[in-house]
Amino acid sequence: MSIPNPSGEWNGVVPLEQQPLHQYQELCESFFFQWPRLSRGSYSQRLAMVWGGVAVLVAPLVAASFSPIQDFAHFGLVGVIAANSLLALGLLHLLLGWHYIHQRLTSPEILYEESGWYDAATYTKTQEEWLQHRLIGQHQVEPILRRLTTTLLLLLGITAVAVGLWMGLA
């Protein structure tokens, strides 16, 4: 079902928590989802801290299989692969969240739940709303998506190198 929007009023049709601009603002203010919006240095620092924390947590598990003293190469490579994999899951979560908001901002129509009982409805944005949302999507969200994609690809590349080195040691 499509609900026309003759007045441009969001509040009377789509619940506040399902409005794309409100969802965008919530992500911008979220502790975890704001990370890609930080400066390059702060973003890299937070990712490095998470990676280091994960590496410390997985080190005892890796040490149970490979002695850090007798087989440091395998211990280090498996530790890097494990830490990268867990960090990649966090980055994937960020990427999917921002992609969802980008899709809702740039789409001329959005789905929403009227009462929360699976009664989905479609709201068609006015031309002005759609233009405003597309501009936010293009100039605010797309750089975040590029940064997250680049980071994830870099992390996967490092992981591929570590797996290649692992295969060379075997």
Side-chain angles (χ1 to χ4, degrees), residues 119-155:
D119 56 350
T122 302
Y123 174 81
T124 303
K125 298 176 186 176
T126 65
Q127 192 67 25
E128 295 81 22
E129 288 167 341
W130 189 38
L131 180 60
Q132 178 191 22
H133 292 188
R134 281 191 10 226
L135 287 172
I136 291 170
Q138 288 175 341
H139 297 287
Q140 300 295 322
V141 181
E142 285 180 15
I144 292 169
L145 293 174
R146 280 193 299 274
R147 175 180 265 187
L148 288 169
T149 302
T150 301
T151 305
L152 194 55
L153 289 174
L154 178 64
L155 193 63

PDB file of all heavy atoms in Angstrom, residues 119-155:
ATOM      1  N   ASP A 119       2.642  -4.851   9.575  1.00  0.00           N
ATOM      2  CA  ASP A 119       1.712  -4.215   8.645  1.00  0.00           C
ATOM      3  C   ASP A 119       2.469  -3.172   7.834  1.00  0.00           C
ATOM      4  O   ASP A 119       2.205  -1.993   7.909  1.00  0.00           O
ATOM      5  CB  ASP A 119       0.531  -3.588   9.388  1.00  0.00           C
ATOM      6  CG  ASP A 119       0.973  -2.588  10.445  1.00  0.00           C
ATOM      7  OD1 ASP A 119       2.184  -2.538  10.723  1.00  0.00           O
ATOM      8  OD2 ASP A 119       0.120  -1.873  10.976  1.00  0.00           O
ATOM      9  N   ALA A 120       3.427  -3.640   7.079  1.00  0.00           N
ATOM     10  CA  ALA A 120       4.299  -2.749   6.337  1.00  0.00           C
ATOM     11  C   ALA A 120       3.509  -1.868   5.377  1.00  0.00           C
ATOM     12  O   ALA A 120       2.550  -2.300   4.750  1.00  0.00           O
ATOM     13  CB  ALA A 120       5.339  -3.547   5.557  1.00  0.00           C
ATOM     14  N   ALA A 121       3.932  -0.626   5.320  1.00  0.00           N
ATOM     15  CA  ALA A 121       3.352   0.338   4.387  1.00  0.00           C
ATOM     16  C   ALA A 121       4.501   1.027   3.663  1.00  0.00           C
ATOM     17  O   ALA A 121       5.649   0.974   4.090  1.00  0.00           O
ATOM     18  CB  ALA A 121       2.498   1.359   5.143  1.00  0.00           C
ATOM     19  N   THR A 122       4.189   1.670   2.570  1.00  0.00           N
ATOM     20  CA  THR A 122       5.189   2.390   1.788  1.00  0.00           C
ATOM     21  C   THR A 122       4.871   3.867   1.836  1.00  0.00           C
ATOM     22  O   THR A 122       3.725   4.270   1.661  1.00  0.00           O
ATOM     23  CB  THR A 122       5.182   1.913   0.326  1.00  0.00           C
ATOM     24  OG1 THR A 122       5.425   0.506   0.295  1.00  0.00           O
ATOM     25  CG2 THR A 122       6.254   2.617  -0.482  1.00  0.00           C
ATOM     26  N   TYR A 123       5.900   4.647   2.088  1.00  0.00           N
ATOM     27  CA  TYR A 123       5.761   6.108   2.097  1.00  0.00           C
ATOM     28  C   TYR A 123       6.543   6.653   0.919  1.00  0.00           C
ATOM     29  O   TYR A 123       7.716   6.320   0.739  1.00  0.00           O
ATOM     30  CB  TYR A 123       6.298   6.676   3.404  1.00  0.00           C
ATOM     31  CG  TYR A 123       6.314   8.185   3.438  1.00  0.00           C
ATOM     32  CD1 TYR A 123       5.160   8.898   3.727  1.00  0.00           C
ATOM     33  CD2 TYR A 123       7.474   8.896   3.158  1.00  0.00           C
ATOM     34  CE1 TYR A 123       5.167  10.276   3.745  1.00  0.00           C
ATOM     35  CE2 TYR A 123       7.493  10.271   3.178  1.00  0.00           C
ATOM     36  CZ  TYR A 123       6.339  10.962   3.472  1.00  0.00           C
ATOM     37  OH  TYR A 123       6.339  12.324   3.490  1.00  0.00           O
ATOM     38  N   THR A 124       5.925   7.463   0.104  1.00  0.00           N
ATOM     39  CA  THR A 124       6.591   8.102  -1.022  1.00  0.00           C
ATOM     40  C   THR A 124       7.028   9.498  -0.598  1.00  0.00           C
ATOM     41  O   THR A 124       6.205  10.308  -0.182  1.00  0.00           O
ATOM     42  CB  THR A 124       5.649   8.186  -2.242  1.00  0.00           C
ATOM     43  OG1 THR A 124       5.204   6.865  -2.565  1.00  0.00           O
ATOM     44  CG2 THR A 124       6.370   8.796  -3.431  1.00  0.00           C
ATOM     45  N   LYS A 125       8.312   9.742  -0.714  1.00  0.00           N
ATOM     46  CA  LYS A 125       8.857  11.033  -0.308  1.00  0.00           C
ATOM     47  C   LYS A 125       8.462  12.111  -1.319  1.00  0.00           C
ATOM     48  O   LYS A 125       8.299  11.839  -2.511  1.00  0.00           O
ATOM     49  CB  LYS A 125      10.391  10.971  -0.248  1.00  0.00           C
ATOM     50  CG  LYS A 125      10.938   9.996   0.752  1.00  0.00           C
ATOM     51  CD  LYS A 125      12.457   9.941   0.649  1.00  0.00           C
ATOM     52  CE  LYS A 125      13.047   8.869   1.517  1.00  0.00           C
ATOM     53  NZ  LYS A 125      14.506   8.763   1.349  1.00  0.00           N
ATOM     54  N   THR A 126       8.348  13.339  -0.817  1.00  0.00           N
ATOM     55  CA  THR A 126       8.141  14.452  -1.735  1.00  0.00           C
ATOM     56  C   THR A 126       9.451  14.694  -2.483  1.00  0.00           C
ATOM     57  O   THR A 126      10.518  14.202  -2.091  1.00  0.00           O
ATOM     58  CB  THR A 126       7.750  15.736  -0.985  1.00  0.00           C
ATOM     59  OG1 THR A 126       8.849  16.133  -0.169  1.00  0.00           O
ATOM     60  CG2 THR A 126       6.500  15.543  -0.151  1.00  0.00           C
ATOM     61  N   GLN A 127       9.385  15.455  -3.541  1.00  0.00           N
ATOM     62  CA  GLN A 127      10.582  15.764  -4.327  1.00  0.00           C
ATOM     63  C   GLN A 127      11.632  16.458  -3.455  1.00  0.00           C
ATOM     64  O   GLN A 127      12.821  16.154  -3.550  1.00  0.00           O
ATOM     65  CB  GLN A 127      10.198  16.647  -5.529  1.00  0.00           C
ATOM     66  CG  GLN A 127      11.297  16.793  -6.550  1.00  0.00           C
ATOM     67  CD  GLN A 127      11.607  15.491  -7.269  1.00  0.00           C
ATOM     68  OE1 GLN A 127      10.779  14.596  -7.379  1.00  0.00           O
ATOM     69  NE2 GLN A 127      12.823  15.364  -7.753  1.00  0.00           N
ATOM     70  N   GLU A 128      11.203  17.377  -2.597  1.00  0.00           N
ATOM     71  CA  GLU A 128      12.132  18.108  -1.728  1.00  0.00           C
ATOM     72  C   GLU A 128      12.787  17.171  -0.710  1.00  0.00           C
ATOM     73  O   GLU A 128      13.997  17.257  -0.465  1.00  0.00           O
ATOM     74  CB  GLU A 128      11.412  19.251  -0.992  1.00  0.00           C
ATOM     75  CG  GLU A 128      10.882  20.353  -1.894  1.00  0.00           C
ATOM     76  CD  GLU A 128       9.539  19.994  -2.541  1.00  0.00           C
ATOM     77  OE1 GLU A 128       8.808  19.129  -2.009  1.00  0.00           O
ATOM     78  OE2 GLU A 128       9.236  20.566  -3.603  1.00  0.00           O
ATOM     79  N   GLU A 129      11.980  16.285  -0.116  1.00  0.00           N
ATOM     80  CA  GLU A 129      12.529  15.334   0.853  1.00  0.00           C
ATOM     81  C   GLU A 129      13.539  14.411   0.177  1.00  0.00           C
ATOM     82  O   GLU A 129      14.624  14.169   0.712  1.00  0.00           O
ATOM     83  CB  GLU A 129      11.413  14.474   1.463  1.00  0.00           C
ATOM     84  CG  GLU A 129      10.523  15.211   2.418  1.00  0.00           C
ATOM     85  CD  GLU A 129       9.273  14.421   2.755  1.00  0.00           C
ATOM     86  OE1 GLU A 129       8.895  13.489   2.018  1.00  0.00           O
ATOM     87  OE2 GLU A 129       8.665  14.768   3.782  1.00  0.00           O
ATOM     88  N   TRP A 130      13.158  13.910  -0.986  1.00  0.00           N
ATOM     89  CA  TRP A 130      14.034  12.979  -1.682  1.00  0.00           C
ATOM     90  C   TRP A 130      15.354  13.660  -2.063  1.00  0.00           C
ATOM     91  O   TRP A 130      16.428  13.083  -1.900  1.00  0.00           O
ATOM     92  CB  TRP A 130      13.312  12.419  -2.907  1.00  0.00           C
ATOM     93  CG  TRP A 130      14.054  11.297  -3.570  1.00  0.00           C
ATOM     94  CD1 TRP A 130      14.754  10.307  -2.955  1.00  0.00           C
ATOM     95  CD2 TRP A 130      14.168  11.053  -4.960  1.00  0.00           C
ATOM     96  NE1 TRP A 130      15.287   9.449  -3.884  1.00  0.00           N
ATOM     97  CE2 TRP A 130      14.938   9.880  -5.129  1.00  0.00           C
ATOM     98  CE3 TRP A 130      13.667  11.706  -6.089  1.00  0.00           C
ATOM     99  CZ2 TRP A 130      15.232   9.351  -6.377  1.00  0.00           C
ATOM    100  CZ3 TRP A 130      13.962  11.159  -7.328  1.00  0.00           C
ATOM    101  CH2 TRP A 130      14.737  10.006  -7.480  1.00  0.00           C
ATOM    102  N   LEU A 131      15.286  14.893  -2.535  1.00  0.00           N
ATOM    103  CA  LEU A 131      16.496  15.634  -2.883  1.00  0.00           C
ATOM    104  C   LEU A 131      17.375  15.839  -1.651  1.00  0.00           C
ATOM    105  O   LEU A 131      18.590  15.608  -1.690  1.00  0.00           O
ATOM    106  CB  LEU A 131      16.139  16.981  -3.520  1.00  0.00           C
ATOM    107  CG  LEU A 131      17.305  17.870  -3.925  1.00  0.00           C
ATOM    108  CD1 LEU A 131      18.195  17.169  -4.947  1.00  0.00           C
ATOM    109  CD2 LEU A 131      16.797  19.184  -4.474  1.00  0.00           C
ATOM    110  N   GLN A 132      16.780  16.267  -0.556  1.00  0.00           N
ATOM    111  CA  GLN A 132      17.539  16.481   0.684  1.00  0.00           C
ATOM    112  C   GLN A 132      18.183  15.177   1.149  1.00  0.00           C
ATOM    113  O   GLN A 132      19.368  15.147   1.493  1.00  0.00           O
ATOM    114  CB  GLN A 132      16.631  17.032   1.775  1.00  0.00           C
ATOM    115  CG  GLN A 132      17.345  17.237   3.097  1.00  0.00           C
ATOM    116  CD  GLN A 132      16.389  17.524   4.237  1.00  0.00           C
ATOM    117  OE1 GLN A 132      15.208  17.195   4.177  1.00  0.00           O
ATOM    118  NE2 GLN A 132      16.907  18.160   5.281  1.00  0.00           N
ATOM    119  N   HIS A 133      17.431  14.102   1.152  1.00  0.00           N
ATOM    120  CA  HIS A 133      17.940  12.812   1.602  1.00  0.00           C
ATOM    121  C   HIS A 133      19.044  12.298   0.684  1.00  0.00           C
ATOM    122  O   HIS A 133      20.044  11.751   1.161  1.00  0.00           O
ATOM    123  CB  HIS A 133      16.809  11.789   1.680  1.00  0.00           C
ATOM    124  CG  HIS A 133      15.811  12.086   2.749  1.00  0.00           C
ATOM    125  ND1 HIS A 133      14.811  11.209   3.076  1.00  0.00           N
ATOM    126  CD2 HIS A 133      15.647  13.157   3.572  1.00  0.00           C
ATOM    127  CE1 HIS A 133      14.076  11.717   4.049  1.00  0.00           C
ATOM    128  NE2 HIS A 133      14.561  12.910   4.346  1.00  0.00           N
ATOM    129  N   ARG A 134      18.868  12.469  -0.624  1.00  0.00           N
ATOM    130  CA  ARG A 134      19.905  12.031  -1.564  1.00  0.00           C
ATOM    131  C   ARG A 134      21.193  12.803  -1.358  1.00  0.00           C
ATOM    132  O   ARG A 134      22.288  12.230  -1.436  1.00  0.00           O
ATOM    133  CB  ARG A 134      19.418  12.194  -3.006  1.00  0.00           C
ATOM    134  CG  ARG A 134      18.502  11.077  -3.426  1.00  0.00           C
ATOM    135  CD  ARG A 134      18.180  11.029  -4.905  1.00  0.00           C
ATOM    136  NE  ARG A 134      18.945  11.909  -5.750  1.00  0.00           N
ATOM    137  CZ  ARG A 134      18.426  12.680  -6.710  1.00  0.00           C
ATOM    138  NH1 ARG A 134      17.128  12.669  -6.930  1.00  0.00           N
ATOM    139  NH2 ARG A 134      19.180  13.437  -7.451  1.00  0.00           N
ATOM    140  N   LEU A 135      21.097  14.110  -1.105  1.00  0.00           N
ATOM    141  CA  LEU A 135      22.301  14.906  -0.852  1.00  0.00           C
ATOM    142  C   LEU A 135      23.027  14.419   0.404  1.00  0.00           C
ATOM    143  O   LEU A 135      24.256  14.310   0.417  1.00  0.00           O
ATOM    144  CB  LEU A 135      21.951  16.390  -0.729  1.00  0.00           C
ATOM    145  CG  LEU A 135      21.589  17.088  -2.033  1.00  0.00           C
ATOM    146  CD1 LEU A 135      21.079  18.497  -1.762  1.00  0.00           C
ATOM    147  CD2 LEU A 135      22.792  17.122  -2.969  1.00  0.00           C
ATOM    148  N   ILE A 136      22.278  14.134   1.449  1.00  0.00           N
ATOM    149  CA  ILE A 136      22.889  13.609   2.671  1.00  0.00           C
ATOM    150  C   ILE A 136      23.519  12.247   2.383  1.00  0.00           C
ATOM    151  O   ILE A 136      24.648  11.966   2.813  1.00  0.00           O
ATOM    152  CB  ILE A 136      21.847  13.513   3.807  1.00  0.00           C
ATOM    153  CG1 ILE A 136      21.436  14.919   4.244  1.00  0.00           C
ATOM    154  CG2 ILE A 136      22.386  12.708   4.995  1.00  0.00           C
ATOM    155  CD1 ILE A 136      20.252  14.964   5.185  1.00  0.00           C
ATOM    156  N   GLY A 137      22.812  11.414   1.632  1.00  0.00           N
ATOM    157  CA  GLY A 137      23.350  10.104   1.276  1.00  0.00           C
ATOM    158  C   GLY A 137      24.635  10.202   0.477  1.00  0.00           C
ATOM    159  O   GLY A 137      25.605   9.492   0.749  1.00  0.00           O
ATOM    160  N   GLN A 138      24.663  11.112  -0.495  1.00  0.00           N
ATOM    161  CA  GLN A 138      25.833  11.247  -1.355  1.00  0.00           C
ATOM    162  C   GLN A 138      27.016  11.898  -0.647  1.00  0.00           C
ATOM    163  O   GLN A 138      28.153  11.475  -0.837  1.00  0.00           O
ATOM    164  CB  GLN A 138      25.492  12.060  -2.598  1.00  0.00           C
ATOM    165  CG  GLN A 138      24.613  11.335  -3.583  1.00  0.00           C
ATOM    166  CD  GLN A 138      24.192  12.225  -4.741  1.00  0.00           C
ATOM    167  OE1 GLN A 138      24.247  13.454  -4.662  1.00  0.00           O
ATOM    168  NE2 GLN A 138      23.751  11.609  -5.827  1.00  0.00           N
ATOM    169  N   HIS A 139      26.761  12.925   0.130  1.00  0.00           N
ATOM    170  CA  HIS A 139      27.861  13.715   0.694  1.00  0.00           C
ATOM    171  C   HIS A 139      28.237  13.350   2.124  1.00  0.00           C
ATOM    172  O   HIS A 139      29.327  13.720   2.572  1.00  0.00           O
ATOM    173  CB  HIS A 139      27.533  15.204   0.606  1.00  0.00           C
ATOM    174  CG  HIS A 139      27.393  15.673  -0.808  1.00  0.00           C
ATOM    175  ND1 HIS A 139      28.469  15.829  -1.648  1.00  0.00           N
ATOM    176  CD2 HIS A 139      26.298  15.960  -1.549  1.00  0.00           C
ATOM    177  CE1 HIS A 139      28.050  16.226  -2.837  1.00  0.00           C
ATOM    178  NE2 HIS A 139      26.727  16.308  -2.807  1.00  0.00           N
ATOM    179  N   GLN A 140      27.374  12.645   2.830  1.00  0.00           N
ATOM    180  CA  GLN A 140      27.676  12.277   4.206  1.00  0.00           C
ATOM    181  C   GLN A 140      27.878  10.768   4.364  1.00  0.00           C
ATOM    182  O   GLN A 140      28.798  10.341   5.051  1.00  0.00           O
ATOM    183  CB  GLN A 140      26.546  12.738   5.154  1.00  0.00           C
ATOM    184  CG  GLN A 140      26.314  14.227   5.161  1.00  0.00           C
ATOM    185  CD  GLN A 140      27.497  14.998   5.714  1.00  0.00           C
ATOM    186  OE1 GLN A 140      28.139  14.563   6.651  1.00  0.00           O
ATOM    187  NE2 GLN A 140      27.779  16.140   5.127  1.00  0.00           N
ATOM    188  N   VAL A 141      27.030   9.978   3.735  1.00  0.00           N
ATOM    189  CA  VAL A 141      27.064   8.532   3.968  1.00  0.00           C
ATOM    190  C   VAL A 141      28.000   7.818   2.984  1.00  0.00           C
ATOM    191  O   VAL A 141      28.728   6.902   3.388  1.00  0.00           O
ATOM    192  CB  VAL A 141      25.641   7.929   3.919  1.00  0.00           C
ATOM    193  CG1 VAL A 141      25.671   6.433   4.179  1.00  0.00           C
ATOM    194  CG2 VAL A 141      24.737   8.617   4.932  1.00  0.00           C
ATOM    195  N   GLU A 142      28.012   8.202   1.727  1.00  0.00           N
ATOM    196  CA  GLU A 142      28.872   7.515   0.758  1.00  0.00           C
ATOM    197  C   GLU A 142      30.355   7.579   1.121  1.00  0.00           C
ATOM    198  O   GLU A 142      31.060   6.576   0.961  1.00  0.00           O
ATOM    199  CB  GLU A 142      28.614   8.036  -0.655  1.00  0.00           C
ATOM    200  CG  GLU A 142      27.313   7.493  -1.220  1.00  0.00           C
ATOM    201  CD  GLU A 142      26.996   7.964  -2.624  1.00  0.00           C
ATOM    202  OE1 GLU A 142      27.893   8.502  -3.321  1.00  0.00           O
ATOM    203  OE2 GLU A 142      25.832   7.796  -3.052  1.00  0.00           O
ATOM    204  N   PRO A 143      30.895   8.702   1.641  1.00  0.00           N
ATOM    205  CA  PRO A 143      32.296   8.670   2.080  1.00  0.00           C
ATOM    206  C   PRO A 143      32.529   7.671   3.221  1.00  0.00           C
ATOM    207  O   PRO A 143      33.587   7.034   3.288  1.00  0.00           O
ATOM    208  CB  PRO A 143      32.561  10.107   2.547  1.00  0.00           C
ATOM    209  CG  PRO A 143      31.566  10.933   1.815  1.00  0.00           C
ATOM    210  CD  PRO A 143      30.353  10.064   1.665  1.00  0.00           C
ATOM    211  N   ILE A 144      31.556   7.514   4.091  1.00  0.00           N
ATOM    212  CA  ILE A 144      31.662   6.537   5.170  1.00  0.00           C
ATOM    213  C   ILE A 144      31.687   5.130   4.583  1.00  0.00           C
ATOM    214  O   ILE A 144      32.501   4.289   4.989  1.00  0.00           O
ATOM    215  CB  ILE A 144      30.493   6.702   6.167  1.00  0.00           C
ATOM    216  CG1 ILE A 144      30.625   8.024   6.920  1.00  0.00           C
ATOM    217  CG2 ILE A 144      30.418   5.527   7.130  1.00  0.00           C
ATOM    218  CD1 ILE A 144      29.404   8.405   7.732  1.00  0.00           C
ATOM    219  N   LEU A 145      30.815   4.867   3.621  1.00  0.00           N
ATOM    220  CA  LEU A 145      30.789   3.551   2.975  1.00  0.00           C
ATOM    221  C   LEU A 145      32.103   3.262   2.255  1.00  0.00           C
ATOM    222  O   LEU A 145      32.619   2.135   2.316  1.00  0.00           O
ATOM    223  CB  LEU A 145      29.613   3.457   1.997  1.00  0.00           C
ATOM    224  CG  LEU A 145      28.216   3.467   2.620  1.00  0.00           C
ATOM    225  CD1 LEU A 145      27.151   3.522   1.529  1.00  0.00           C
ATOM    226  CD2 LEU A 145      28.013   2.274   3.523  1.00  0.00           C
ATOM    227  N   ARG A 146      32.671   4.265   1.589  1.00  0.00           N
ATOM    228  CA  ARG A 146      33.963   4.079   0.914  1.00  0.00           C
ATOM    229  C   ARG A 146      35.056   3.773   1.931  1.00  0.00           C
ATOM    230  O   ARG A 146      35.897   2.893   1.704  1.00  0.00           O
ATOM    231  CB  ARG A 146      34.322   5.308   0.090  1.00  0.00           C
ATOM    232  CG  ARG A 146      33.623   5.373  -1.252  1.00  0.00           C
ATOM    233  CD  ARG A 146      34.224   6.416  -2.168  1.00  0.00           C
ATOM    234  NE  ARG A 146      34.152   7.756  -1.633  1.00  0.00           N
ATOM    235  CZ  ARG A 146      33.109   8.577  -1.771  1.00  0.00           C
ATOM    236  NH1 ARG A 146      32.039   8.171  -2.415  1.00  0.00           N
ATOM    237  NH2 ARG A 146      33.124   9.793  -1.261  1.00  0.00           N
ATOM    238  N   ARG A 147      35.070   4.511   3.054  1.00  0.00           N
ATOM    239  CA  ARG A 147      36.098   4.297   4.081  1.00  0.00           C
ATOM    240  C   ARG A 147      35.985   2.888   4.662  1.00  0.00           C
ATOM    241  O   ARG A 147      36.987   2.196   4.825  1.00  0.00           O
ATOM    242  CB  ARG A 147      35.970   5.328   5.197  1.00  0.00           C
ATOM    243  CG  ARG A 147      36.926   5.080   6.349  1.00  0.00           C
ATOM    244  CD  ARG A 147      36.778   6.097   7.430  1.00  0.00           C
ATOM    245  NE  ARG A 147      37.772   7.134   7.208  1.00  0.00           N
ATOM    246  CZ  ARG A 147      38.006   8.120   8.058  1.00  0.00           C
ATOM    247  NH1 ARG A 147      37.304   8.235   9.161  1.00  0.00           N
ATOM    248  NH2 ARG A 147      38.936   9.012   7.813  1.00  0.00           N
ATOM    249  N   LEU A 148      34.780   2.470   4.966  1.00  0.00           N
ATOM    250  CA  LEU A 148      34.582   1.140   5.538  1.00  0.00           C
ATOM    251  C   LEU A 148      34.949   0.043   4.538  1.00  0.00           C
ATOM    252  O   LEU A 148      35.584  -0.952   4.901  1.00  0.00           O
ATOM    253  CB  LEU A 148      33.141   0.974   6.010  1.00  0.00           C
ATOM    254  CG  LEU A 148      32.773   1.753   7.267  1.00  0.00           C
ATOM    255  CD1 LEU A 148      31.265   1.741   7.486  1.00  0.00           C
ATOM    256  CD2 LEU A 148      33.500   1.203   8.476  1.00  0.00           C
ATOM    257  N   THR A 149      34.564   0.225   3.284  1.00  0.00           N
ATOM    258  CA  THR A 149      34.892  -0.763   2.253  1.00  0.00           C
ATOM    259  C   THR A 149      36.399  -0.854   2.069  1.00  0.00           C
ATOM    260  O   THR A 149      36.957  -1.956   1.996  1.00  0.00           O
ATOM    261  CB  THR A 149      34.203  -0.397   0.925  1.00  0.00           C
ATOM    262  OG1 THR A 149      32.789  -0.334   1.135  1.00  0.00           O
ATOM    263  CG2 THR A 149      34.517  -1.411  -0.163  1.00  0.00           C
ATOM    264  N   THR A 150      37.073   0.291   2.026  1.00  0.00           N
ATOM    265  CA  THR A 150      38.527   0.307   1.872  1.00  0.00           C
ATOM    266  C   THR A 150      39.199  -0.375   3.058  1.00  0.00           C
ATOM    267  O   THR A 150      40.119  -1.185   2.884  1.00  0.00           O
ATOM    268  CB  THR A 150      39.034   1.757   1.727  1.00  0.00           C
ATOM    269  OG1 THR A 150      38.418   2.350   0.593  1.00  0.00           O
ATOM    270  CG2 THR A 150      40.540   1.808   1.584  1.00  0.00           C
ATOM    271  N   THR A 151      38.749  -0.072   4.251  1.00  0.00           N
ATOM    272  CA  THR A 151      39.329  -0.677   5.449  1.00  0.00           C
ATOM    273  C   THR A 151      39.117  -2.182   5.446  1.00  0.00           C
ATOM    274  O   THR A 151      40.035  -2.951   5.745  1.00  0.00           O
ATOM    275  CB  THR A 151      38.697  -0.068   6.724  1.00  0.00           C
ATOM    276  OG1 THR A 151      38.842   1.349   6.688  1.00  0.00           O
ATOM    277  CG2 THR A 151      39.356  -0.615   7.974  1.00  0.00           C
ATOM    278  N   LEU A 152      37.921  -2.600   5.106  1.00  0.00           N
ATOM    279  CA  LEU A 152      37.617  -4.027   5.079  1.00  0.00           C
ATOM    280  C   LEU A 152      38.449  -4.748   4.021  1.00  0.00           C
ATOM    281  O   LEU A 152      38.991  -5.832   4.275  1.00  0.00           O
ATOM    282  CB  LEU A 152      36.122  -4.231   4.830  1.00  0.00           C
ATOM    283  CG  LEU A 152      35.544  -5.607   5.084  1.00  0.00           C
ATOM    284  CD1 LEU A 152      35.842  -6.098   6.490  1.00  0.00           C
ATOM    285  CD2 LEU A 152      34.042  -5.590   4.859  1.00  0.00           C
ATOM    286  N   LEU A 153      38.593  -4.150   2.859  1.00  0.00           N
ATOM    287  CA  LEU A 153      39.412  -4.766   1.804  1.00  0.00           C
ATOM    288  C   LEU A 153      40.887  -4.819   2.205  1.00  0.00           C
ATOM    289  O   LEU A 153      41.571  -5.821   1.931  1.00  0.00           O
ATOM    290  CB  LEU A 153      39.241  -4.009   0.483  1.00  0.00           C
ATOM    291  CG  LEU A 153      37.891  -4.176  -0.199  1.00  0.00           C
ATOM    292  CD1 LEU A 153      37.788  -3.263  -1.428  1.00  0.00           C
ATOM    293  CD2 LEU A 153      37.639  -5.624  -0.575  1.00  0.00           C
ATOM    294  N   LEU A 154      41.380  -3.785   2.843  1.00  0.00           N
ATOM    295  CA  LEU A 154      42.766  -3.785   3.327  1.00  0.00           C
ATOM    296  C   LEU A 154      42.965  -4.888   4.359  1.00  0.00           C
ATOM    297  O   LEU A 154      43.948  -5.639   4.303  1.00  0.00           O
ATOM    298  CB  LEU A 154      43.116  -2.411   3.922  1.00  0.00           C
ATOM    299  CG  LEU A 154      44.503  -2.261   4.513  1.00  0.00           C
ATOM    300  CD1 LEU A 154      45.567  -2.413   3.436  1.00  0.00           C
ATOM    301  CD2 LEU A 154      44.638  -0.909   5.193  1.00  0.00           C
ATOM    302  N   LEU A 155      42.035  -4.995   5.284  1.00  0.00           N
ATOM    303  CA  LEU A 155      42.110  -6.026   6.317  1.00  0.00           C
ATOM    304  C   LEU A 155      42.048  -7.426   5.695  1.00  0.00           C
ATOM    305  O   LEU A 155      42.808  -8.323   6.093  1.00  0.00           O
ATOM    306  CB  LEU A 155      40.979  -5.827   7.315  1.00  0.00           C
ATOM    307  CG  LEU A 155      41.053  -6.606   8.613  1.00  0.00           C
ATOM    308  CD1 LEU A 155      42.284  -6.204   9.418  1.00  0.00           C
ATOM    309  CD2 LEU A 155      39.811  -6.352   9.436  1.00  0.00           C
TER     310      LEU A 155
END
